[in-house]
């Protein structure tokens, strides 16, 4: 493993310090709140307001997770899950939503989402999902 194992808690803390979380949400208030949560959890955080901004950003190959509103769209019908699925990056994506629907859940699952959360978010569950997704990257499962 790429981090020093002292105790379970310290491994997670060291992993969090090297993990970048990309927050993509069109709602300024939600974006700010998620960014504060990620910073409190000791993640490096990049907050973006659109899918285009994410696609223009130089994404790393590992040690990063995308947390995005599932309803973020690009153009008239290109959804974030479909757009990211076509990219070469293999970063895990965790989707959030205010408007949970069966089709949205199925699409996220079909495209290999690392998580799917309805708002209001369980903050600890989201942080745990991010840590789990990064751990899976290190274990070759992402």
């Amino acid at each position: 493993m790429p981090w020093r194992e002292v105790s379970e808690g310290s491994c997670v803390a060291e992993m969090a310090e090297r993990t970048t979380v990309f927050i993509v949400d069109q709602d300024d208030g939600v974006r700010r709140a998620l960014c504060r949560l990620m910073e409190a959890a000791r993640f490096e955080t990049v907050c973006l307001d659109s899918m285009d901004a994410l696609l223009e950003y130089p994404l790393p190959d590992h040690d990063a997770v995308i947390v995005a509103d599932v309803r973020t769209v690009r153009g008239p019908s290109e959804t974030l899950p479909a757009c990211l699925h076509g990219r070469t990056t293999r970063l895990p994506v965790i989707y959030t939503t205010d408007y949970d629907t069966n089709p949205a859940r199925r699409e996220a699952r079909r495209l290999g989402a690392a998580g799917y959360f309805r708002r209001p978010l369980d903050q600890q569950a989201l942080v745990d999902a991010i840590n789990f997704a990064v751990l899976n990257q290190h274990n070759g499962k992402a």
Side-chain angles (χ1 to χ4, degrees):
M1 292 202 154
W3 54 82
R4 157 180 115 257
E5 187 165 336
V6 177
S7 71
E8 187 176 320
S10 67
C11 288
V12 170
E14 286 182 38
M15 186 170 53
E17 288 176 352
R18 289 195 322 269
T19 299
T20 301
V21 178
F22 292 87
I23 304 293
V24 183
D25 201 299
Q26 295 168 334
D27 183 303
D28 189 47
V30 170
R31 192 173 56 251
R32 279 195 317 262
L34 285 173
C35 288
R36 282 194 305 266
L37 172 63
M38 296 302 111
E39 289 167 357
R42 299 173 64 183
F43 294 117
E44 292 292 322
T45 307
V46 177
C47 300
L48 305 163
D49 64 358
S50 71
M51 185 185 314
D52 287 330
L54 176 67
L55 296 175
E56 291 172 8
Y57 202 92
L59 297 175
D61 293 330
H62 53 81
D63 292 331
V65 176
I66 298 167
V67 176
D69 183 347
V70 75
R71 292 175 44 117
T72 301
V73 295
R74 181 180 192 207
S77 63
E78 190 176 20
T79 63
L80 183 61
C83 185
L84 289 175
H85 185 67
R87 287 185 55 108
T88 57
T89 183
R90 295 187 40 98
L91 295 180
V93 182
I94 297 172
Y95 295 104
T96 65
T97 187
D98 287 324
Y99 307 100
D100 185 30
T101 65
N102 285 330
R105 267 184 267 132
R106 278 194 301 271
E107 180 73 355
R109 190 177 312 120
R110 183 181 75 79
L111 296 174
Y116 185 92
F117 289 87
R118 289 177 288 212
R119 295 184 195 142
L121 297 172
D122 178 331
Q123 295 176 356
Q124 187 59 55
L126 179 59
V127 169
D128 290 345
I130 291 167
N131 283 322
F132 185 74
V134 172
L135 185 60
N136 279 340
Q137 283 179 325
H138 287 276
N139 292 333
K141 297 178 184 175

